[in-house]
């Protein structure tokens, strides 16, 4: 799983999240809200956390299963933690290969004919760093 810091960097770079069942996220609440809530990882599921489309955007509705009082949060108050397969899919045609090295994984992509590589012990983090570079170069 990618780090919260990388997830925030991806969001700030322009990665748009359309919540779907199975997606994981953390809360990103104002400073006056208890920080313990931000450390917890939630999973979108129609039975427990439902993505509800509203005229003002998307809300993540907590359907009575959380330990603390929370009805819903806006999408802007959540940080998506994309899975490895989602990150690879978002790289689309730029993805070339994932290579297992002795202590790490290397993701190789190609941007405008230039090969670019990212290494990390967690393949999801390597994919995430590659996606961040792709998004950053596309602006």
């Amino acid at each position: 799983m990618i780090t919260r810091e990388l997830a925030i960097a991806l969001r700030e770079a322009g990665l748009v999240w359309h919540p779907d069942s199975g997606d994981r996220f953390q809360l990103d609440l104002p400073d006056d809200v208890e920080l313990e809530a931000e450390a917890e990882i939630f999973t979108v599921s129609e039975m427990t956390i439902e993505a509800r489309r509203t005229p003002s955007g998307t809300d993540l509705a907590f359907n009575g299963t959380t330990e603390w009082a929370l009805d819903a949060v806006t999408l802007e108050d959540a940080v998506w933690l994309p899975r490895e397969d989602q990150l690879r899919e978002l790289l689309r045609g730029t993805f070339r290969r994932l290579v297992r090295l002795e202590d790490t994984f290397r993701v190789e992509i190609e941007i405008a004919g230039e090969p670019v590589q990212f290494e990390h012990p967690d393949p999801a983090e390597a994919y995430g760093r590659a996606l961040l570079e792709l998004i950053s170069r596309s602006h």
Side-chain angles (χ1 to χ4, degrees):
M1 178 168 43
I2 66 172
T3 62
R4 177 185 179 89
E5 293 76 23
L6 179 55
I8 290 171
L10 285 165
R11 180 180 68 180
E12 290 174 353
L15 181 62
V16 177
W17 179 34
H18 303 283
D20 200 8
S21 188
D23 286 355
R24 296 175 307 209
F25 68 95
Q26 289 181 308
L27 299 179
D28 189 20
L29 302 171
D31 292 337
D32 59 339
V33 176
E34 202 174 311
L35 290 179
E36 289 177 19
E38 289 188 343
E40 193 164 344
I41 296 174
F42 298 95
T43 303
V44 175
S45 168
E46 283 74 25
M47 293 181 65
T48 57
I49 301 173
E50 179 182 5
R52 293 184 184 159
R53 312 285 187 261
T54 67
S56 61
T58 300
D59 290 342
L60 298 168
F62 292 76
N63 295 326
T65 60
T66 58
E67 297 175 8
W68 38 275
L70 183 65
D71 291 330
V73 295
T74 64
L75 200 57
E76 292 76 28
D77 290 331
V79 178
W80 179 32
L81 302 168
R83 298 181 312 268
E84 181 180 334
D85 63 304
Q86 292 171 315
L87 293 163
R88 185 175 48 251
E89 184 178 318
L90 288 165
L91 287 169
R92 293 186 176 88
T94 66
F95 175 69
R96 294 298 173 256
R97 68 186 55 85
L98 172 67
V99 179
R100 171 98 165 109
L101 303 173
E102 187 174 326
D103 295 337
T104 191
F105 291 88
R106 181 174 59 223
V107 169
E108 299 175 5
I109 63 173
E110 186 175 314
I111 303 173
E114 175 190 348
V116 189
Q117 302 176 355
F118 301 86
E119 290 185 18
H120 196 274
D122 181 343
E125 188 79 6
Y127 278 119
R129 292 176 181 193
L131 182 59
L132 181 60
E133 180 68 19
L134 177 63
I135 293 170
S136 297
R137 288 194 190 192
S138 69
H139 291 292

